[in-house]
Amino acid sequence: MKSYGNIFAGIVGHDNLAQALKRAAKGKQERPGVKGFLEQSEKELDRLRRELVDGSYRPGPFRQFHICDPKPRLIRCADFRDRIVHHAVCMRIAPLIERSLIFHNYACRQTKGSHRAVLAARANSRRFAYWLRTDILHYYENIDHDILLDQLFRLFREAKLKELLRMIVDHSPVGVRPGKGLPIGSLTSQWFANLYLNSIDHWILQKMIPKAYLRYMDDFALWSDSKDHLFAIAAELQYRLTTTLHLEQKRKATLVAPSSEGMPFLGYRIYPGMVRERAARVRRRQTLLCRREQQFLRGDISEMQLQASVRSMAGPRWFFGFGAPINDQGRRSRGSHRVNRGGSWRNDHASYFRGANRNRNDPGNRNDNLGFRLVSTTLDQDHKPSNPPIPVFRHVGTETPLPDAASHSVSAGPTPHPGIFIKIATGANHAMD
């Protein structure tokens, strides 16, 4: 493994700290602690730089609070000065950590993310017969500091940087076991936790050799055409995690099943022919939307804040083509996102949006009657279908025509446009609800 030096000077550079301040303060300028720091930013940054250079810098206490989304978590927020240091460090070391990560690691990386992980999982479910899904019990709480620091010190050989990294890793909140755990909520924790399992990624790909593999933080997903192969991988993975990283698999969440039954992954149920939101996720979004509406009516939040909340809730739904959670008139959208059998025999235009229509068995269609097309039934305020008149792919801000329907497949890379007709490559018997 290649190691890197001459990084610390770039971390404590004036331009790097100024950029870190800008990132740490984004969207938080009106908070009391942040506002006071920004009013004397030049003086405060010079003081912070001197502390980092002479080694007198010490992290401050964490601010702790609980959330439940959906399971209870204890979030620990670092002091604003410490968050500036975290951004300054990550701006320099993250690109170097990135080089050691595998392509199919989707957590906390540019051009990746949970939505693209779901699309990749759907593509793999179309290709292979069985899947293995597992994750780790209390992952952040059980990360071993000595093992993590050993991984970081292999990458970064500079003495001052090692000292700073050790200070960040060992700075634990009150009540945490000594030498264990990373605070959920810190930028450095995301990158360190991603790196911690990197050796497992390479071991799985080089030794276990599944047909397909991806990871989102501590969520593992593997595919194969053999159930026995996946059971063997699960057993070997548990042994490897315990002996090398002092981690434990979550037994109840370790599942092996046929791809046709749908894999629970990142809040969705992923079938070969469609992606469905899980019921708990839909309920949480509706509850949050009602809460934001009540806050707006009471005057607790502004219209701009309400719009920002709605956009954040609408983002994943538009990405997968489910439609917006509310329409332009402020009403919650209605309509089913299921595959409805029957309906009109014509399926070559978005206006026939209510049926998942059986493909025409004629030379003009060339689909040989092999499946159904998924469509959204969400209506806009004029009671028109939300689907665009011409199916398109959207990828990195560009749009290109949909490939020929005769290909019977959709790759994992491009992202479907909201409301797109999605071709199911499996038989009609797999196009369940």
Side-chain angles (χ1 to χ4, degrees), residues 66-85:
H66 290 270
I67 66 170
C68 187
D69 186 29
K71 57 185 178 182
R73 295 182 186 274
L74 178 61
I75 304 299
R76 299 179 172 95
C77 288
D79 185 70
F80 183 65
R81 294 179 82 247
D82 300 334
R83 294 204 299 271
I84 296 174
V85 175

Side-chain angles (χ1 to χ4, degrees), residues 102 134 136 139 151 194-208 210 213 215 217 220 222 233 236-247 249:
I102 66 169
T134 186
I136 296 174
Y139 177 51
Q151 295 176 346
N194 225 1
L195 176 67
Y196 195 74
L197 290 172
N198 190 46
S199 61
I200 297 295
D201 293 337
H202 289 277
W203 170 77
I204 288 176
L205 293 178
Q206 296 170 12
K207 302 297 184 181
M208 295 291 98
Y213 169 70
R215 175 171 70 87
M217 199 54 75
F220 296 81
L222 302 91
I233 292 177
E236 290 290 335
L237 179 60
Q238 171 59 51
Y239 177 79
R240 186 85 177 184
L241 288 170
T242 303
T243 56
T244 63
L245 299 180
H246 302 168
L247 298 173
Q249 271 183 318

